[in-house]
Amino acid sequence: MAENKRPTIVDVAKAAGVSISTTSNALSGVRRVRPETRRRVLKVADQLGYEPNLIARSLVGKRSSLVGILMPDITDNFLTTFVRDVERAVATQGLGLMIGDSGNDSQREERYLRAFHDRRMEGLLIIPTAATDLGQVTAIAKEIPTVVVDREISGWTGDFVSCDHRAGAEMLVDHLVSLGHTRIAQLAGDKALSSARARHAATRARLSDHGLLSAAESFSQFTIEDAKEQAAEILRRAADFTAVIAGDDLLALAVVGVAHRAGISVPGDLSVAGFDDIPFAELAWPALTTIRQPVERIAAEATRLLLESAGGPGRHVLLQPELIVRDSTVAPRDPANPAHT
């Protein structure tokens, strides 16, 4: 091969000892290829200095050279960070990103799914709503590599990546109990979402392991207005508990804000803990004790599964969270007395 000749996909296929179509699939991740074959092709491509012609690939393969992300709320801090990390991951593969924000509207979500299918995405990452259509997602997954992220779709048997929500909730309970709290309330998230249900159920179960019951419970949609309303509602019973575990950081920050306005000191009278570790958690005062989701690793694993699509049953990846202890949780002043009177 002449030194100034740019290596082609034919050169890569020949050197790797596989067909051109297999080489194309291994490089793009569009079709299912054995992981060991893909690794061999990528190694050869790197050795030869092969660079894909994305325009040609899109025209010939009728693919868009784009990965689609369908999410329920682009303003959600966790999802915003996830999108950033996915974009960085797919960019290393010469791919771009197209985002669909369903706004938690199932009909809008279905329209985005049809649009992603019609545009022949290289792959699709879905953070579902409570009403995501399993049949539609399953049908698309037969043609486009698809990974469901963070929230489960009942009946989905394909690839799935998430933080271990149950483990995170257990860490929060153990932390508060270790400080001496025995009367712990829950402001849980949306019961229609698997992640919120998992956190709520795990909190209850871990309290039971310690011989405790939830001192009070309430549920909230993951919106600012509902968070404030439900925080105010549960704090009407503030005399019954010394700590609150919130379903996410938004709910936790709402509790802190409502508590301050009601003259309840956080953490003096009431310890508050959240979930996600959004950027504002550290900036708030008091800085929020929370569970850090490994967003970068979730994005990396979801992208890896997408680009290394393989035959066989769906792969289920659960990543471990981390307890981040800050200023919003301390030992109760007197465990025998109400937190606020």
Side-chain angles (χ1 to χ4, degrees):
M1 185 188 308
E3 289 186 359
N4 62 350
K5 180 184 175 184
R6 182 176 179 176
T8 67
I9 195 170
V10 176
D11 299 320
V12 177
K14 186 180 296 184
V18 295
S19 69
I20 294 174
S21 61
T22 297
T23 301
S24 176
N25 292 336
L27 291 170
S28 68
V30 173
R31 293 285 185 265
R32 297 182 185 275
V33 175
R34 290 169 131 190
E36 58 270 25
T37 301
R38 183 173 187 272
R39 284 193 291 269
R40 184 167 77 252
V41 170
L42 291 177
K43 182 178 180 180
V44 169
D46 183 61
Q47 290 172 342
L48 294 178
Y50 171 76
E51 295 181 2
N53 185 328
L54 298 182
I55 296 175
R57 189 174 78 186
S58 179
L59 292 174
V60 175
K62 296 183 180 178
R63 292 281 173 173
S64 63
S65 298
L66 294 171
V67 168
I69 294 186
L70 181 57
M71 62 177 59
D73 182 3
I74 199 169
T75 66
D76 183 290
N77 279 275
F78 166 76
L79 298 180
T80 300
T81 304
F82 174 73
V83 169
R84 179 202 66 190
D85 291 337
V86 169
E87 191 280 329
R88 291 174 178 174
V90 300
T92 65
Q93 304 298 317
L95 299 172
L97 205 60
M98 180 175 287
I99 301 168
D101 179 6
S102 69
N104 281 298
D105 183 316
S106 59
Q107 292 184 338
R108 187 172 172 182
E109 183 181 54
E110 290 176 10
R111 289 196 297 271
Y112 269 120
L113 284 171
R114 286 195 297 270
F116 284 146
H117 174 267
D118 293 343
R119 284 170 174 77
R120 306 295 293 167
M121 292 287 159
E122 299 278 9
L124 183 58
L125 300 173
I126 300 176
I127 301 94
T129 66
T132 297
D133 188 328
L134 171 64
Q136 187 180 21
V137 174
T138 301
I140 289 175
K142 292 178 180 178
E143 299 183 43
I144 301 172
T146 300
V147 179
V148 174
V149 180
D150 186 54
R151 303 170 178 176
E152 298 180 30
I153 302 175
S154 180
W156 171 251
T157 58
D159 293 338
F160 175 73
V161 178
S162 176
C163 164
D164 190 335
H165 298 290
R166 291 176 175 82
E170 290 171 354
M171 289 177 187
L172 288 178
V173 173
D174 290 347
H175 167 64
L176 290 171
V177 171
S178 74
L179 291 175
H181 293 278
T182 57
R183 289 175 291 117
I184 300 170
Q186 268 203 83
L187 176 53
D190 189 343
K191 288 185 285 187
L193 301 174
S194 66
S195 55
R197 290 196 305 272
R199 296 174 191 180
H200 171 251
T203 299
R204 266 191 165 190
R206 197 62 164 182
L207 285 170
S208 179
D209 290 342
H210 288 286
L212 304 173
L213 297 173
S214 293
E217 284 190 356
S218 184
F219 296 87
S220 173
Q221 306 291 321
F222 290 122
T223 66
I224 293 176
E225 288 306 314
D226 197 50
K228 291 190 293 185
E229 182 178 331
Q230 295 305 317
E233 181 66 29
I234 198 169
L235 285 179
R236 291 191 179 96
R237 297 181 56 186
D240 296 337
F241 47 83
T242 61
V244 175
I245 292 176
D248 74 351
D249 288 345
L250 174 67
L251 299 181
L253 293 174
V255 171
V256 172
V258 172
H260 285 333
R261 286 190 288 276
I264 302 171
S265 171
V266 177
D269 298 324
L270 183 69
S271 287
V272 180
F275 205 111
D276 286 341
D277 196 28
I278 64 176
F280 297 115
E282 186 175 10
L283 297 175
W285 182 252
L288 192 63
T289 291
T290 186
I291 292 295
R292 176 177 293 164
Q293 291 208 59
V295 185
E296 186 174 352
R297 290 188 59 210
I298 292 172
E301 284 296 299
T303 305
R304 180 183 67 80
L305 294 186
L306 200 67
L307 298 179
E308 294 184 0
S309 294
R315 296 158 292 181
H316 194 108
V317 178
L318 277 183
L319 297 171
Q320 291 305 300
E322 178 185 1
L323 173 66
I324 304 298
V325 178
R326 297 195 180 101
D327 302 315
S328 66
T329 54
V330 296
R333 286 176 176 169
D334 183 353
N337 294 320
H340 182 73
T341 55

